[in-house]
Amino acid sequence: MMLPEGTIPPPGLPDPAQIVSAGGVGILSAGDTARAVPDLQPGTYPALCYVPDQGSGAAHAMMDLVQVFTVTA
């Protein structure tokens, strides 16, 4: 993942080099919805949006569009 020059990621995000994709959805048109149903082991995971912001070009994840969730047994 490349950040635009001068962009500083928000604190607490995982190191992008350690991220392993567990699935996801592609870019959607306005008004559309989608759901990803990955098969995850119990643990804590981040959900990240890598769609680039139209204004800055930075991935939404770099603009705090991150949700941490926990999978239980």
Side-chain angles (χ1 to χ4, degrees):
M1 170 177 53
M2 277 305 262
L3 294 175
E5 187 175 338
T7 301
I8 299 173
L13 289 181
D15 177 353
Q18 295 177 334
I19 295 173
V20 176
S21 178
V25 298
I27 296 173
L28 302 173
S29 296
D32 285 351
T33 59
R35 181 177 299 186
V37 185
D39 184 19
L40 301 173
Q41 296 297 315
T44 301
Y45 300 88
L48 307 156
C49 178
Y50 288 108
V51 174
D53 178 70
Q54 289 182 354
S56 69
H60 287 150
M62 297 302 119
M63 302 168 71
D64 266 349
L65 188 52
V66 175
Q67 179 67 50
V68 177
F69 63 96
T70 302
V71 175
T72 58

